[in-house]
């Protein structure tokens, strides 16, 4: 089946991304990690991650790496989201639904302020 | 779990943990044969026969208390509750293949669910793996391989917003047009 999307479209996307990169100083990337173990998935971790992807797409947020990982080991706090701003320590959030995920992206990832009310402290 | 797509995500996590760098996910909806089949195949480190025989039963405990997984027993139970089958083949150093079938029309069969969301999660969230997604139906197939995408991007990350949109639309459009093909076949009476 032929797809409407072509690799030529992707080549254009690549060139624009490269141009954008050249304009920016190398400030490093923010990492957002979502726990995707069995317990996390059952608790809604995929929807939490999708909300993060949607927000990056609609707000056009660059320089964020989203990763999913197996069990983070805090079953009773799933879904778990961790945020690490460039050069800063990782912050862990618990029981993160899509709504909270959007708030975390807005306030912490973009704004630089930890959302302390959702934070889990070890 | 409420969707087969969530089980698929969970089983694929095992493949990632096993160090696979190529993972193939196949969904076949063969309505004419009343079968829905899912296959997750990886080239990870595999399992020895002893591990393999233990993992499908969460109640088997050895003397040394080991943590018992739930993901595989969950999927096996779901398939068997729908007059289906469950099988794992594994070989140390070569990889593992998990296959589950369901009676398509079984009243308890979970819907496939958001398979596009599952694939986006895996592709964007684990870019070091080469993901292949195949969706087969009686009316045709949709095959998605992220390798040509990554080759074209040549270092531009998948989490670039425009790249995410490209991948999401490619998956959504491929799945939707396949569903349309299936619907057309049914209404035209073939
Ligand atoms: N694809 C795979 N490759 C290698 N080992 C696997 C694979 N899938 C499952 N296993 C082994 O079986 C165990 C049980 O898997 P699972 O039931 O999903 O529970 P969990 O992932 O929580 O351990 C895993 O911990 C792993 O040792
Ligand atoms: Mg598992």
């Amino acid at each position: 089946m032929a797809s409407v999307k072509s690799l030529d479209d992707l080549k254009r996307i690549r060139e624009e991304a490269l141009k954008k990169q050249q304009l920016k100083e190398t400030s490093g990337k923010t990492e957002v990690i979502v726990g995707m173990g069995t317990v996390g998935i059952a608790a809604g971790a995929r929807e939490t991650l999708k909300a993060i992807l949607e927000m990056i797409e609609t707000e056009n947020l660059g320089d964020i790496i989203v990763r999913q990982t197996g069990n983070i080991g805090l079953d009773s706090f799933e879904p778990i989201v961790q945020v690490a701003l460039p050069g800063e320590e990782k912050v862990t959030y618990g029981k993160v639904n899509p709504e909270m995920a959007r708030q975390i992206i807005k306030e912490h990832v973009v704004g630089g302020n930890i959302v302390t009310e959702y934070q889990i402290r070890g | 779990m409420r969707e087969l797509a969530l089980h698929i995500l969970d089983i694929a996590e095992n493949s990632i943990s096993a160090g696979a760098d190529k993972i193939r996910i196949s969904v076949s909806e063969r309505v004419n044969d009343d079968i829905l089949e899912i296959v997750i195949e990886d080239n990870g480190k595999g399992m020895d026969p002893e591990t393999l025989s233990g993992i499908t039963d969460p109640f088997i405990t050895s003397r040394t208390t080991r943590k018992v997984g739930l993901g595989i027993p969950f999927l096996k139970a779901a398939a068997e509750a729908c007059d289906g089958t469950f099988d794992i083949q594994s070989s140390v150093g070569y990889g593992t293949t998990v296959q589950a079938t369901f009676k398509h029309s079984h009243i308890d069969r979970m819907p496939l669910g958001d398979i596009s969301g599952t694939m986006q999660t895996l592709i964007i969230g684990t870019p070091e793996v080469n993901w292949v997604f195949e969706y087969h139906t009686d009316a045709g197939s949709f095959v998605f391989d992220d390798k040509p995408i990554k080759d074209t991007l040549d270092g531009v990350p998948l989490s670039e917003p425009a790249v995410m949109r490209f991948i999401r639309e490619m998956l959504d459009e491929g799945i939707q047009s396949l569903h349309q093909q299936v619907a057309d076949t049914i209404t035209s009476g073939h």
Side-chain angles (χ1 to χ4, degrees):
Chain A
M1 192 173 47
S3 171
V4 223
K5 309 230 92 49
S6 78
L7 290 177
D8 286 335
D9 295 334
L10 198 60
K11 276 184 199 140
R12 276 191 291 277
I13 290 170
R14 173 173 190 273
E15 269 145 36
E16 270 170 36
L18 288 176
K19 257 186 254 160
K20 222 170 54 183
Q21 253 175 29
Q22 282 163 2
L23 297 177
K24 259 180 237 151
E25 68 238 67
T26 44
S27 51
K29 290 185 189 292
T30 296
E31 227 187 347
V32 179
I33 302 161
V34 182
M36 214 52 78
T38 305
V39 176
I41 293 170
R46 187 192 63 191
E47 273 53 48
T48 298
L49 188 140
K50 262 196 83 182
I52 295 169
L53 296 184
E54 267 164 32
M55 182 123 179
I56 291 174
E57 206 189 294
T58 51
E59 307 281 315
N60 197 26
L61 307 174
D63 292 327
I64 301 170
I65 299 286
V66 180
R67 292 201 51 88
Q68 55 95 19
T69 181
N71 218 324
I72 289 176
L74 295 158
D75 280 3
S76 50
F77 292 101
E78 299 282 358
I80 305 261
V81 173
Q82 297 179 314
V83 173
L85 298 183
E88 283 184 31
E89 237 177 279
K90 195 152 68 184
V91 174
T92 302
Y93 296 105
K95 300 195 178 189
V96 182
N97 63 29
E99 185 72 47
M100 291 158 70
R102 283 187 282 271
Q103 189 185 340
I104 290 166
I105 296 297
K106 201 167 142 202
E107 292 180 19
H108 188 181
V109 174
V110 179
N113 300 309
I114 297 172
V115 188
T116 47
E117 57 178 313
Y118 306 150
Q119 192 182 358
I120 305 174
R121 290 190 191 76
Chain B
M1 300 208 199
R2 308 165 305 280
E3 301 173 16
L4 290 175
L6 291 174
H7 280 283
I8 291 172
L9 177 56
D10 184 42
I11 298 299
E13 293 295 331
N14 291 340
S15 300
I16 298 168
S17 304
D21 64 9
K22 178 161 186 169
I23 304 174
R24 186 179 72 93
I25 292 172
S26 164
V27 175
S28 304
E29 288 199 62
R30 302 199 299 269
V31 180
N32 292 341
D33 300 330
D34 202 10
I35 285 178
L36 190 156
E37 178 201 55
I38 58 189
V39 175
I40 296 106
E41 183 184 0
D42 70 58
N43 65 354
K45 67 178 192 255
M47 281 170 273
D48 57 46
E50 199 198 341
T51 310
L52 190 59
S53 63
I55 57 171
T56 50
D57 189 349
F59 303 107
I60 287 178
T61 45
S62 55
R63 231 179 317 130
T64 48
T65 38
R66 66 176 173 93
K67 190 186 153 282
V68 228
L70 284 177
I72 288 173
F74 270 174
L75 178 59
K76 182 172 189 273
E80 287 171 354
C82 298
D83 296 339
T85 61
F86 183 86
D87 183 52
I88 308 187
Q89 304 285 331
S90 191
S91 166
V92 172
Y94 288 93
T96 302
T97 303
V98 174
Q99 184 217 35
T101 67
F102 299 75
K103 187 177 160 75
H104 196 285
S105 64
H106 199 285
I107 185 108
D108 292 328
R109 182 183 62 78
M110 281 168 274
L112 178 58
D114 184 8
I115 189 68
S116 174
T118 284
M119 289 314 304
Q120 287 169 56
T121 299
L122 293 169
I123 293 164
I124 311 285
T126 333
E128 61 277 14
V129 172
N130 171 203
W131 293 97
V132 177
F133 171 59
E134 298 174 13
Y135 191 176
H136 302 286
T137 69
D138 294 323
S141 298
F142 167 62
V143 177
F144 176 99
D145 182 344
D146 72 358
K147 186 163 189 310
I149 293 178
K150 286 170 179 160
D151 288 349
T152 305
L153 285 171
D154 193 18
V156 167
L158 294 180
S159 42
E160 185 65 33
V163 177
M164 274 187 193
R165 171 174 301 122
F166 181 89
I167 291 172
R168 179 177 60 73
E169 288 179 349
M170 201 169 186
L171 287 165
D172 285 346
E173 284 167 18
I175 292 164
Q176 272 162 26
S177 90
L178 188 56
H179 285 162
Q180 189 57 48
Q181 265 176 274
V182 172
D184 291 348
T185 316
I186 292 166
T187 45
S188 69
H190 290 299

